[in-house]
Amino acid sequence: MTSGHARIGPVAISRQTRSEAIAMLLDCMASRTKINVAFANAHGLLLAMDDPAFAETLTRCHVLNDGIGARIGARVLTGEGFAENLNGTDFVPALLNAAPAGTRVYLLGARPDVVARAADAFALSHPHVTICGWRDGYFQDGDRADIVAAINAAKADILLVALGNPKQEFLMDALRAELDPPVVLGVGALFDFTAGEVIRAPKLMRQAGLEWVFRLLHEPKRLYKRYTSGVMRFLWKILLLRFSKQQAS
């Protein structure tokens, strides 16, 4: 298995191929070893650079690279990018494809109609796994005990949490000790894509780490700030990190 990490600011991102990461998670599932998985794109990395609490939370996650921002950051700071783009929207279906028959999957997040449609879509596209339950993402902190009880009662092996970052990673971290599912993944907009609520970018764009361009064109009002000033701030911080690294060496 490929070893090592690429450190981008406060975040250590695993240098794994898709097949290596999937094999590791299936091993965790088989041994009931608890693991939280986060996907780091430029937006999430910038959040971690701005928010020490989020950065600290990610130290307790297994972090995989997502998109061209992580690739650029790794190449500038370490001289090497990543073997593959492991965005969660493609990674999770591949994980479910590889999961043993009877694997139980629980969905948490998105609107009630969206998560219901996503659950139906997963059941149709991955008939060998069992979608053992779902709950939308519109809940209060006081509902957390009920959510944990429902997930544990469903005997889930894999929990998909789609609340957007950093909210989903904070929740995963806060509930990790109480949750029984060994494999928990923060999957962002996965349910929206799976339910057909949001259109996916063409495969070649996704493979090139350019899905953000497609999303910006389709959701300019919501994503304009993230993908313009946010990207510029991210790149500036990467350059500052590179400069400070050179000064220290």
Side-chain angles (χ1 to χ4, degrees):
M1 179 178 289
T2 301
S3 61
H5 295 78
R7 178 163 291 280
I8 301 177
V11 183
I13 305 176
S14 178
R15 289 192 182 278
Q16 289 176 300
T17 64
R18 177 185 292 180
S19 60
E20 288 170 345
I22 287 174
M24 181 200 68
L25 295 181
L26 293 182
D27 284 345
C28 288
M29 191 175 73
S31 64
R32 310 305 290 181
T33 301
K34 291 185 176 183
I35 186 170
N36 283 354
V37 178
F39 296 89
N41 57 17
H43 174 64
L45 289 167
L46 184 60
L47 288 175
M49 293 176 193
D50 290 340
D51 183 356
F54 185 44
E56 174 66 21
T57 295
L58 290 181
T59 66
R60 293 184 288 275
C61 293
H62 186 81
V63 184
L64 298 176
N65 62 292
D66 176 1
I68 195 169
R71 184 192 309 167
I72 290 172
R75 189 169 293 280
V76 169
L77 296 173
T78 73
E80 181 184 358
F82 295 98
E84 297 179 66
N85 176 28
L86 303 184
N87 71 83
T89 310
D90 291 320
F91 181 87
V92 172
L95 172 63
L96 298 186
N97 281 337
T103 296
R104 299 176 67 81
V105 182
Y106 195 102
L107 280 59
L108 174 65
R111 298 198 317 262
D113 60 315
V114 170
V115 67
R117 298 203 313 271
D120 289 342
F122 278 128
L124 185 64
S125 60
H126 302 85
H128 68 291
V129 306
T130 299
I131 305 302
C132 61
W134 57 264
R135 174 155 181 167
D136 66 80
Y138 292 82
F139 54 83
Q140 304 300 317
D141 286 347
D143 298 324
R144 288 186 175 187
D146 291 339
I147 291 171
V148 170
I151 293 168
N152 291 346
K155 300 186 184 303
D157 300 301
I158 296 174
L159 170 62
L160 306 178
V161 184
L163 301 174
N165 52 25
K167 184 177 180 180
Q168 63 195 16
E169 289 81 12
F170 282 141
L171 183 73
M172 290 156 54
D173 189 57
L175 301 183
R176 179 67 279 192
E178 303 168 58
L179 286 168
D180 291 343
V183 178
V184 180
L185 301 100
V187 296
L190 173 64
F191 299 169
D192 293 299
F193 291 127
T194 305
E197 189 76 6
V198 177
I199 302 171
R200 290 296 314 272
K203 186 176 181 179
L204 288 176
M205 292 187 74
R206 302 199 304 268
Q207 291 175 336
L210 295 174
E211 187 164 12
W212 67 273
V213 176
F214 185 87
R215 292 187 65 190
L216 176 60
L217 292 173
H218 283 78
E219 300 180 82
K221 288 184 178 180
R222 187 173 75 85
L223 297 176
Y224 179 79
K225 184 176 181 180
R226 177 190 300 186
Y227 290 142
T228 53
S229 60
V231 167
M232 294 305 296
R233 280 210 312 123
F234 172 74
L235 294 175
W236 177 245
K237 283 179 177 284
I238 293 296
L239 291 175
L240 290 177
L241 287 169
R242 173 63 184 270
F243 179 74
S244 63
K245 185 177 180 180
Q246 289 175 332
Q247 292 293 100
S249 61

